[in-house]
Amino acid sequence: MAGKRKKKARTREESLALPSRWRLQHGGFSEPVREADPETGAPVLHRRAIDTLGLMLANGTITQEMHDAGGCFRVLFRRAALDGMVRASLLRLPGRTADALSERAMDARRRVAEALDALGGHDSAAGSCAWHVLGLEMSVREWATRQGWGGRPVSPPQAQGMLVATLGVLAGHFGLVPRTRAA
């Protein structure tokens, strides 16, 4: 037994120039873009996380109005603080500031509820898609396999079609496309 050596455990160091393995499992990245830091002038590599709506717009799957409607819903969702993340202001001013923020959040919640009503309610396919894909920023594939509609998984191509339909309705709801009158 004296002749046996203990094997040293090798730890593989990750390159700090690349996204971590944990981050890569949550979605892809674009190719790095080399730019100069605006403050220091030092060269830096920027990697952009891939945006579902941006990809769909670039592929011609959705229109600019649909892309903007998804962005409007996402902004309202964040403003309404429906994403489950607890936020606290680092600078607290006494008086009206806290009241204005809560009014702003309540207005955003009202507008999100109106948008979900336009989609057929929270329990509809479009409502579920808007909540999870646009609001919580899940990937379409993740929503389709984990959440789906009514707790049932949906195939990814059908889920993408549901997202396109959801964006079309939201574009009309937010007034980004002209409404046509039925004859």
Side-chain angles (χ1 to χ4, degrees):
M1 284 203 148
K4 290 187 177 182
R5 290 184 174 173
K6 279 189 169 181
K7 289 187 179 180
K8 263 190 171 176
R10 290 188 182 179
T11 57
R12 185 175 156 230
E13 293 183 27
E14 292 187 40
S15 171
L16 296 178
L18 300 173
S20 68
R21 283 183 290 149
W22 177 86
R23 180 60 186 98
L24 286 173
Q25 77 183 4
H26 294 286
F29 284 85
S30 65
E31 289 298 315
V33 176
R34 187 177 199 92
E35 295 175 346
D37 185 310
E39 293 180 15
T40 64
V44 293
L45 286 176
H46 291 282
R47 295 179 186 273
R48 307 272 188 250
I50 295 176
D51 176 32
T52 301
L53 296 181
L55 273 177
M56 292 175 78
L57 179 64
N59 292 337
T61 308
I62 61 173
T63 64
Q64 183 65 48
E65 293 81 11
M66 295 165 110
H67 179 271
D68 295 346
C72 286
F73 187 87
R74 183 177 293 155
V75 166
L76 287 172
F77 197 87
R78 285 183 189 156
R79 192 177 295 159
L82 295 170
D83 55 3
M85 294 180 65
V86 177
R87 297 182 192 127
S89 175
L90 296 176
L91 177 64
R92 295 186 186 256
L93 300 175
R96 214 167 145 76
T97 306
D99 296 337
L101 290 175
S102 63
E103 286 177 23
R104 182 177 167 193
M106 290 306 294
D107 181 55
R109 286 181 182 213
R110 180 187 53 76
R111 293 183 63 195
V112 166
E114 289 171 355
L116 289 173
D117 285 345
L119 293 168
H122 189 273
D123 292 334
S124 69
S128 176
C129 184
W131 185 274
H132 292 93
V133 176
L134 301 175
L136 295 176
E137 299 186 48
M138 280 185 181
S139 71
V140 177
R141 182 177 301 277
E142 184 180 13
W143 170 71
T145 56
R146 285 189 182 180
Q147 179 66 32
W149 176 37
R152 295 181 303 273
V154 176
S155 72
Q158 287 176 324
Q160 186 172 1
M162 289 174 164
L163 178 59
V164 171
T166 299
L167 292 169
V169 172
L170 285 176
H173 173 73
F174 289 128
L176 300 173
V177 293
R179 294 185 185 199
T180 57
R181 294 184 182 208

